[in-house]
Amino acid sequence: MTLQPKCEDVETAEGVAITVTGVAQVKVMTDKDLLAVACEQFLGKSVMEIKAVVLQTLEGHLRSILGTLTVEQIYQDRDEFARLVREVAAPDVGRMGIEILSFTIKDVYDKMDYLSSLGKTQTAAVQRDADIGVAEAERDAGIREAECKKEMMDVKFLADTKMADSKRELELQKAAFNQEVNTKKAESQLAYELQAAKEQQKIRLEEIEIEVVQRKKQISIEEKEIERTEKELIATVKRPAEAEAYKMQQLAEGQKLKKVLTAQAEAEKIRKIGEAEAISISSVGKAEAESMRVKAEAYQQYGDAAKTALVLEALPKIAGKVAAPLARTHEIVILSGDGSRVTGEVNRLLAELPVSVNALTGVDLSKMNQFV
């Protein structure tokens, strides 16, 4: 809990009425016995009521301590004042199960401007001491400045004298040095020119060698270029021509081989077909010969009867061949004004049929009744 105890117009040890405000952080102790004490004291009370009780206790102790101190002690040493309040109030609030975590003085003021006057007096004293100190410091500074100037002039005179001596000595040394330097420079210039001529000659020799090397490299490059061109011509002209010739040769040989193989296959085919046909013809011939032999034996055995049977078997085929053109005829019209004449024509055709058969086959149909 955060509390703000405040004591207004409390007289100090010197009788000056001042107002003091502070800030305190308190909490309920967690020790079992002390917690029981806190429960006994505050059980049933609200937080505001608890704050009020602790606040009144702190304000009472704050008043009592203010009465024992002067305004200067309270104002100048607030930490000590706060410590006294904690030490005095801690046992009382501790008996209620409350612990003071911290207590600080927030503000101290009075209505009679005592603190302001006290500050002004102190400020004036400090200002006075400061002015005196400044005057004394300026006096001491002036004395010390004069002494320093005198010492500076003495040192400067001594330094100027030494400087003139040093300058004269320096000029003498410079003249000697210049003479020596000029002599050395002349010798150095001659040596430089000689060395430059030698170096120029070396440079020219190096340039000649570089030109020779470059010419050799150029010749080598030209030879490699000729070789590359030759290889390029071989790769782009000769090799493709050889490849094309080889291709044509291979194609010709392939065509030739194809024709040979085709001819061989065709000959083999014809030979096989000929052999098959020969075998077939031979087999058919043998079968027909055998059939003819059997028929001949049958004809020889049965004589005219066999012949007649053959003719009878052939008659339907002959009739079919003869009637084949008539099969495409829709109708036959016989022009005759006499009906008996039509009948006579039909009878005549039927009467001539055995004669036609006899002329074609040699078989007399009029004698067929002998075999039926």
Side-chain angles (χ1 to χ4, degrees):
M1 293 177 289
T2 301
L3 304 176
Q4 293 185 355
K6 183 177 182 180
C7 296
E8 296 181 351
D9 299 332
V10 178
E11 292 186 356
T12 63
E14 297 175 344
V16 179
I18 62 173
T19 300
V20 178
T21 58
V23 177
Q25 301 291 337
V26 300
K27 76 178 187 70
V28 178
M29 293 183 181
T30 56
D31 184 78
K32 185 176 181 181
D33 296 335
L34 297 174
L35 182 61
V37 172
C39 292
E40 181 181 356
Q41 293 290 328
F42 301 112
L43 192 62
K45 294 183 179 181
S46 65
V47 176
M48 294 301 296
E49 292 175 338
I50 296 173
K51 284 184 176 182
V53 172
V54 177
L55 183 61
Q56 291 175 2
T57 303
L58 291 175
E59 288 179 348
H61 288 290
L62 183 58
R63 286 178 177 274
S64 63
I65 293 172
L66 285 173
T68 61
L69 299 174
T70 63
V71 176
E72 287 79 1
Q73 290 175 332
I74 296 169
Y75 189 79
Q76 294 174 359
D77 198 354
R78 295 189 181 190
D79 292 337
E80 180 65 20
F81 176 46
R83 186 186 66 78
L84 290 174
V85 174
R86 286 196 300 272
E87 289 180 355
V88 173
D92 287 345
V93 296
R95 283 191 289 271
M96 292 186 291
I98 300 298
E99 179 182 3
I100 300 175
L101 298 176
S102 67
F103 181 86
T104 58
I105 300 301
K106 182 179 180 182
D107 193 12
V108 177
Y109 62 92
D110 68 299
K111 297 179 181 179
M112 303 303 295
D113 293 334
Y114 180 84
L115 292 173
S116 299
S117 300
L118 184 62
K120 290 178 181 179
T121 303
Q122 186 66 26
T123 302
V126 171
Q127 186 67 39
R128 181 198 60 207
D129 294 339
D131 292 339
I132 294 171
V134 169
E136 291 177 352
E138 289 178 353
R139 180 197 61 197
D140 295 339
I143 295 171
R144 184 57 183 163
E145 183 179 1
E147 292 176 352
C148 290
K149 284 182 179 182
K150 181 178 179 299
E151 292 176 358
M152 182 185 69
M153 293 303 294
D154 294 339
V155 171
K156 186 175 181 299
F157 177 74
L158 181 60
D160 290 340
T161 303
K162 290 183 178 180
M163 186 180 297
D165 294 338
S166 298
K167 189 175 182 181
R168 183 179 65 257
E169 187 69 23
L170 177 62
E171 292 296 333
L172 293 174
Q173 290 180 358
K174 283 177 67 177
F177 289 157
N178 288 334
Q179 182 180 0
E180 185 179 357
V181 168
N182 290 331
T183 303
K184 295 294 183 182
K185 283 177 68 177
E187 294 175 354
S188 176
Q189 184 66 27
L190 292 174
Y192 171 76
E193 291 176 356
L194 179 60
Q195 187 65 28
K198 292 180 180 179
E199 293 296 330
Q200 189 66 30
Q201 185 177 5
K202 289 182 180 179
I203 291 171
R204 181 54 187 163
L205 292 174
E206 293 291 337
E207 289 177 350
I208 293 172
E209 291 180 0
I210 292 172
E211 290 176 358
V212 172
V213 172
Q214 288 178 347
R215 183 56 184 164
K216 289 181 179 179
K217 288 185 178 179
Q218 185 66 28
I219 294 171
S220 177
I221 291 170
E222 290 176 356
E223 291 176 351
K224 290 182 179 179
E225 181 64 22
I226 293 170
E227 183 179 354
R228 186 194 65 79
T229 305
E230 182 180 355
K231 290 181 179 180
E232 183 178 358
L233 291 173
I234 292 172
T236 59
V237 178
K238 185 178 178 181
R239 296 302 183 195
E242 291 177 352
E244 186 65 23
Y246 179 76
K247 176 182 176 183
M248 297 302 294
Q249 181 183 358
Q250 293 298 317
L251 288 174
E253 291 179 358
Q255 291 294 331
K256 179 181 177 182
L257 180 61
K258 179 180 178 182
K259 290 180 180 180
V260 171
L261 293 177
T262 302
Q264 291 178 354
E266 190 66 25
E268 183 68 18
K269 176 183 175 183
I270 294 171
R271 187 181 67 78
K272 294 292 185 182
I273 292 173
E275 291 179 356
E277 289 179 351
I279 293 172
S280 175
I281 292 170
S282 176
S283 298
V284 172
K286 288 180 181 179
E288 289 180 350
E290 183 65 21
S291 175
M292 293 299 293
R293 186 185 65 76
V294 172
K295 286 182 179 181
E297 289 178 356
Y299 293 159
Q300 186 178 2
Q301 182 178 357
Y302 295 104
D304 294 337
K307 294 179 180 180
T308 302
L310 287 174
V311 171
L312 292 175
E313 289 178 0
L315 282 176
K317 296 180 180 179
I318 294 170
K321 295 293 184 181
V322 172
L326 297 177
R328 294 189 292 272
T329 303
H330 295 288
E331 61 181 6
I332 299 174
V333 178
I334 299 176
L335 299 175
S336 177
D338 189 0
S340 61
R341 189 175 180 181
V342 173
T343 304
E345 290 292 333
V346 173
N347 291 329
R348 186 179 63 79
L349 290 173
L350 293 175
E352 292 178 356
L353 180 61
V355 177
S356 299
V357 172
N358 188 15
L360 292 171
T361 64
V363 177
D364 189 0
L365 293 178
S366 63
K367 296 179 181 182
M368 290 297 297
N369 58 353
Q370 295 178 2
F371 302 100
V372 176

